[in-house]
Amino acid sequence: MNFDLTPEQDQLRDAVRALGRKYGHGYFVEKAKAGEHTTELWNEAGRLGYLGVNIPTEYGGGGGGITELAIVCEELAAAGCPLLLLVVSPAIAATVIAKHGTDEQRKRHLPGLADGSQKIVFAITEPEAGSNFHRLGTVARRDGDDWLLSGRKCYISGVDEANHVLVVARTEDASTGKLKPALFIVPTDAPGLTRSKLDMEILSPENQFLLYLDDVRLPADALLGESLDAGLPALFAGLNPERITVAAMGAGTGRYAIERASDYTATRKVWGGRSIGSHQGVAHPLAHAAVQVELTRLMINKAATLYDAGRDLEAGVAGNMAKYAAGEAAALAVDTAVQALGGAGMTTEYGVATLLGAVRAGRIAPVSREMILNFVAQHVLGQDKSY
Ligand SMILES: Cc1cc2nc3c(=O)[nH]c(=O)nc-3n(C[C@H](O)[C@H](O)[C@H](O)COP(=O)(O)OP(=O)(O)OC[C@H]3O[C@@H](n4cnc5c(N)ncnc54)[C@H](O)[C@@H]3O)c2cc1C
């Protein structure tokens, strides 16, 4: 058992931390409040190779794994810049295309994903289907060599910043007549694809959208992979990287909040010469949150290590547990930090309440805590499925 990062991973962590701190939470908040994106940070991270750490070297990436991408997600978040699109574009889209795309799709999309010049977002959630992906209603029909895509998607992050959206749809299986999942790489300016921005109570430079697909006509090669059979494995290929990197973002956010709060409580004095951090009523909740965040980081490392070793089923269990733990730990850490800072905790200047919406959403998306508990109950504890 080895708990040490490799020297290269250590260097990556230090370098990403330095980049994150160069921009900082003030930059993140300023962009979010102005309704702008963190384009400068994204582009610089791309130029430095951090967005493509998990993409094969032949396509301009770093040739690493999800362990490396999780380091990038965690360190940027720990600097106060939790970038949700890292989870969507390099973690989900790049993994799915690298593992299940055609040669042509890899050549077309991976270099741009690696240097950050291209973003591909991910659309699975639908208003009616909710957590039940078996009820997906976005359907792809053949029209000659083309495909026609129709349906609705909701809460889709970053569509306004992306060149393409990876849409999860269903096609009719010729042999069984049943519907089965198929993924399509859809240009965001495709005729028939429209969007409306959702008003979310999350302070974030990244936006969520409703997507309407109205007979969106796509060429045959918009279908991800060589055939319709690629759909299901491709969909599953994106899930573990998504859970592990979103967990890393949560752990980084937790670290950020605890660091802000402990710096404050170690120096703030309101009772004579003693810092408020000397009161256990202030210090213990912070210490408790720090324990939860550190436990989460252990589970993230385990999940990423299993995933990079190709042990997908075990990585699935560990990744789900890491995501659950991170959602809870990040929410606890930010809430505890706000409390420890008192009134300052609610100001924009101290930069912790600004994360309340994001960490709350982290217990819902991209997979809710209840659906993870269902997964663990069924697959780890052997309970009957309840739904
Ligand atoms: C900030 C944000 C960004 C997002 N970005 C994306 C994106 O980029 N792409 C994308 O496709 N989606 C995205 N989503 C959607 C997200 O993945 C879903 O919101 C999430 O999966 C939950 O689905 P739902 O909202 O339809 O909730 P529902 O399925 O309606 O569930 C509502 C509540 O009921 C609970 N519940 C449902 N079924 C069960 C059950 N069987 N047992 C116990 N509890 C249950 C859920 O846990 C939840 O608490 C995003 C959401 C947010 C908030």
Side-chain angles (χ1 to χ4, degrees), residues 88-100:
V88 179
S89 194
I92 304 179
T95 303
V96 166
I97 293 172
K99 290 201 165 179
H100 295 278

Side-chain angles (χ1 to χ4, degrees), residues 145-169:
D145 281 346
D146 291 350
W147 290 98
L148 288 175
L149 228 60
S150 289
R152 273 199 308 159
K153 298 284 178 185
C154 56
Y155 308 119
I156 309 309
S157 301
V159 189
D160 55 336
E161 301 182 59
N163 316 72
H164 291 84
V165 51
L166 190 58
V167 173
V168 183

Side-chain angles (χ1 to χ4, degrees), residues 122 124-125 130-131 155-157 202 208 365-366 368 370-371 374 387:
F122 182 65
I124 183 165
T125 309
S131 301
Y155 308 119
I156 309 309
S157 301
I202 303 171
Q208 278 71 45
S368 69
E370 291 77 20
M371 292 313 289
N374 283 336
Y387 51 98

